[in-house]
Amino acid sequence: MNGTKTKYCIGCGKKIDRTTNKCPYCHTWQDNPDISRNHLLNTYVSPEHNSELNNIDRKVLENNISSINEENTANENKIIYSDVLLIRRLLLLLIMGSGLYRIWWYYKTNSLLKNKLNQNIHPVLRTIGFLIPFVRWIMFYLLIHKYEKILYKEDIESYSSILNTFIFIFIPIIGPIWTICNIQESINFLWYKLEPDLPVRRKFTTGEKVFLIIIILIIMSLLALIIYILMLSLKVKIII
């Protein structure tokens, strides 16, 4: 810088005399001319660069608005269903899933008690108890008795907790399926009343579809294993 007679204005960027302390064009006071311009903060932006920056800012703003609109559209398109569980779906899941789906149904029904009906319970702990032989009978009764009291308060025709518990315990295979469907039917009337504006899900959820596929694969694998064992036993008999 010391070898030149001119310098650049730190305000407008135009060439001015090196000894000038105040720019004659933009009237910006200059710093010490002996200090390298690389150490100065240059606030000058050319019109071309300024236009480019504006275009970049506009694109960023447009992208942000587009992202917000897409998110809002996704939220609007997301359907919130009621907690009604249609009996035909429940029946198929109970038959296909047997005891595995009973556990999930028990946990989900307890979760609705806690989250939707504001009951002071612990769904996970109750479900763990439901897994324990004999204890599950007590856990089952506690669940359906709690719903029975809520249904009574809402003036909805209910069921007998004691009778359904006995059926659940003493009638194998059919008993648990019948009691769960009977109880769910009454609970459905509760959700029809509490969530009248929400649509009822008629198709299987993604989780239910995955569950059914896994069960079908397990059944097919067991059948294939049984057939294989039978074929081996037949070959052994023929050899003998």
Side-chain angles (χ1 to χ4, degrees), residues 64-198:
N64 289 340
I65 293 174
S66 177
S67 298
I68 293 172
N69 289 337
E70 288 177 1
E71 183 178 352
N72 291 337
T73 302
N75 291 333
E76 290 175 359
N77 293 335
K78 185 178 180 180
I79 300 175
I80 300 176
Y81 291 98
S82 76
D83 293 294
V84 172
L85 176 56
L86 294 179
I87 301 302
R88 65 172 180 268
R89 280 174 53 207
L90 175 61
L91 186 61
L92 180 59
L93 289 166
L94 285 171
I95 293 173
M96 295 291 294
S98 186
L100 291 177
Y101 188 76
R102 292 179 208 167
I103 297 169
W104 170 250
W105 175 87
Y106 185 84
Y107 169 76
K108 181 67 175 178
T109 311
N110 273 292
S111 297
L112 291 174
L113 265 181
K114 178 180 175 64
N115 300 325
K116 293 292 185 71
L117 300 175
N118 301 318
Q119 299 297 310
N120 186 22
I121 62 171
H122 299 280
V124 175
L125 294 179
R126 284 193 168 199
T127 305
I128 292 173
F130 187 71
L131 296 173
I132 303 172
F134 302 110
V135 178
R136 75 176 57 181
W137 301 341
I138 300 173
M139 294 293 102
F140 184 76
Y141 174 79
L142 291 176
L143 171 66
I144 64 176
H145 183 61
K146 181 71 75 172
Y147 271 104
E148 183 184 13
K149 292 194 295 185
I150 295 173
L151 292 168
Y152 178 79
K153 289 180 181 178
E154 294 293 333
D155 197 25
I156 298 174
E157 186 177 355
S158 184
Y159 47 79
S160 169
S161 298
I162 296 176
L163 177 60
N164 278 270
T165 301
F166 276 116
I167 295 174
F168 181 85
I169 296 172
F170 295 110
I171 301 179
I173 302 175
I174 298 176
I177 294 175
W178 185 90
T179 52
I180 289 175
C181 288
N182 182 44
I183 292 159
Q184 185 63 54
E185 185 178 20
S186 297
I187 295 175
N188 282 345
F189 284 111
L190 175 65
W191 297 123
Y192 280 127
K193 182 176 181 178
L194 299 180
E195 302 170 335
D197 298 326
L198 297 181

Side-chain angles (χ1 to χ4, degrees), residues 7 30-36 40:
K7 63 180 178 180
Q30 308 298 303
D31 290 337
N32 190 338
D34 293 328
I35 299 176
S36 173
L40 300 177

